[in-house]
Amino acid sequence: MTISFGETFDRVQECFKEQSVVHSLVPKLESITIIRDIKGKIRLFLEPLKDSPIEETEIADLNICLSSKLEKYYGEDIWLPEGEKDGYQALIDTIKAERVFASWDEESGSPRWYILERHIAKQAWTDKKVGKPPWKEKQVYEKHKPAIVSFFSFKGGVGRTSTLVATALTLARNGHRVAIVDLDLEAPGLATIFSPDNPDKSDKSDKPGVIDYLLEKKIQEDDWKLRTHIIPINDVKLLGDNGETLQLLPAGTVDDNYLEKLARLDFQNLVNGELQSTMVDMLKELNNAAKPLDFILMDARAGFHDIGGLAIANLSHGVVIFGTQSRQSWAGLTHVIRHLASPGVDDRLPLIFVHSMAPAIGISGRETELTEFREQAYDLFKEKYYYRNENVPNSTDKDQPFYPIVVPYQESLRGDIALFSRNSTPEESDRLSALVNIMTNPHYQGIAEKLCDLFKREFKNVDKLKP
């Protein structure tokens, strides 16, 4: 029976449990590094203890075992330190710098086990370290810089984008200056919420956005200005009399060239890996162009997408995670929550967990689902977000990230959401007013209030926010 990708690490360990290897080779090793290449094939780097030379026969026996256990997954390479051999020391230095301690075998003592994964994509999701956003958290808490917050869902169709817009409206009506950014480049939608799909045909101008920045900036450099492509949203029907203008950076115009742009963006990320640094520059330029800002809310693509991974783990000061009471949702969220649990509690990314698409008040089974979701969320965070030696907070602590904010299903938000006047009739005015009322109700206000609490911004009485 052939083996699979997921069995390869176990098969390597089996070889080091073979009696001949245990007695002859294992006592001589300080560490074993399993290297899995971009095709999934396995190679090894062995570090011997000082004054413990490894014999060729021992490597030959290990080679035979690996070939048998790994079959076609064996890359037929076992590397050992070889002094100052030309070009070889650089390889060893790279392995040591990039490998990760294998936590699944941390009690094995000596030799120590390490893993080195080689990818051409998904680094944002597979990297064990949570990165640093464009500016420090201290600057956010002292109100010198805006808090960057990503809205992420593992599955699509859970109301992520509409909730981001509702949160932005609530914050803006509360007097906060907010920019919203559409990072869902494969399925952009923020711009169409605030304007018609087919604007005045006399307007031939392009509507550049994120995708254009990521491509054009490298070529045109300082000649390409983000400032001229930010769309202000200042309709008093949306923001109220005292609300602040929203600043929108769309994904870009979905025209005949959009797919070509998208294809080149994917390729450039694989070739030079500069996507993260370019996005950092974009956020810095956005802040400079629209400042002073309190929040930058980013709509991240659902699923394990590179840009979504970069957004929540490498660019944000906080993240709003959406889940539904379904097996598919929980399966993905398990990996997401584990990925966001950085090594130290003080470094852990601030997180708001949303129970999305929950049954509305009065719907049969509502309380049962809410209870089950809370309990499952607590179990997930206890296992993946906290650590074995930590004191896990009580499950009823509403200030903790595992305690979900409930956003019930809203039939009126299903399908297209048009936050603009399609005509000048009283009926249209009533429709828009009713929509704003729904999107600034207490359910969505709860997310806005929690963000203000996390990042030390004032949140006024909810009654003052009504249209």
Side-chain angles (χ1 to χ4, degrees), residues 264-302:
R264 280 159 178 78
L265 177 62
D266 289 341
F267 178 74
Q268 287 187 20
N269 185 37
L270 298 185
V271 171
N272 57 38
E274 293 180 354
L275 185 58
Q276 179 178 341
S277 62
T278 306
M279 292 181 72
V280 167
D281 292 341
M282 181 185 74
L283 290 169
K284 288 180 177 179
E285 191 169 339
L286 172 62
N287 179 56
N288 290 333
K291 69 181 181 182
L293 288 172
D294 294 299
F295 295 95
I296 297 176
L297 308 184
M298 303 195 299
D299 190 15
R301 178 166 172 76

Side-chain angles (χ1 to χ4, degrees), residues 216-273:
E216 300 275 9
K217 197 67 175 179
K218 292 182 180 180
I219 298 173
Q220 301 191 39
E221 298 178 336
D222 291 341
D223 291 334
W224 201 94
K225 303 293 185 184
L226 183 67
R227 181 184 302 274
T228 60
H229 305 307
I230 300 172
I231 302 172
I233 309 297
N234 50 23
D235 189 341
V236 70
K237 294 186 182 70
L238 305 182
L239 305 171
D241 294 331
N242 301 312
E244 290 285 350
T245 298
L246 282 176
Q247 308 291 337
L248 167 63
L249 181 60
T253 301
V254 182
D255 55 16
D256 292 342
N257 294 314
Y258 193 84
L259 282 176
E260 292 294 340
K261 293 177 185 178
L262 196 59
R264 280 159 178 78
L265 177 62
D266 289 341
F267 178 74
Q268 287 187 20
N269 185 37
L270 298 185
V271 171
N272 57 38

Side-chain angles (χ1 to χ4, degrees), residues 39-161:
K39 293 183 178 179
K41 289 193 174 186
I42 299 296
R43 293 167 172 80
L44 295 185
F45 170 63
L46 306 180
E47 280 186 288
L49 293 165
K50 188 176 180 180
D51 300 325
S52 298
I54 295 176
E55 304 294 333
E56 289 186 7
T57 55
E58 293 170 329
I59 296 298
D61 289 342
L62 180 59
N63 234 327
I64 293 171
C65 182
L66 291 169
S67 295
S68 173
K69 296 282 188 182
L70 293 170
E71 301 173 2
K72 293 182 179 179
Y73 271 102
Y74 185 37
E76 300 182 355
D77 270 321
I78 299 176
W79 297 328
L80 297 164
E82 293 189 9
E84 300 299 325
K85 184 177 179 180
D86 291 344
Y88 199 79
Q89 189 61 44
L91 172 63
I92 293 174
D93 291 342
T94 298
I95 292 172
K96 290 182 177 181
E98 297 186 11
R99 66 187 180 179
V100 176
F101 186 70
S103 58
W104 39 259
D105 200 33
E106 59 188 11
E107 297 178 356
S108 64
S110 182
R112 295 188 301 275
W113 287 81
Y114 295 91
I115 296 170
L116 177 58
E117 300 274 17
R118 309 306 291 165
H119 315 92
I120 58 173
K122 308 303 178 195
Q123 290 95 330
W125 288 105
T126 54
D127 192 347
K128 302 301 181 184
K129 298 178 181 178
V130 175
K132 296 181 179 180
W135 43 84
K136 294 181 178 179
E137 292 84 352
K138 182 180 179 181
Q139 293 177 289
V140 175
Y141 297 136
E142 293 178 351
K143 302 181 181 180
H144 299 310
K145 298 282 187 179
I148 302 172
V149 181
S150 288
F151 283 57
F152 174 83
S153 61
F154 177 69
K155 298 289 288 182
V158 299
R160 182 193 70 246
T161 300

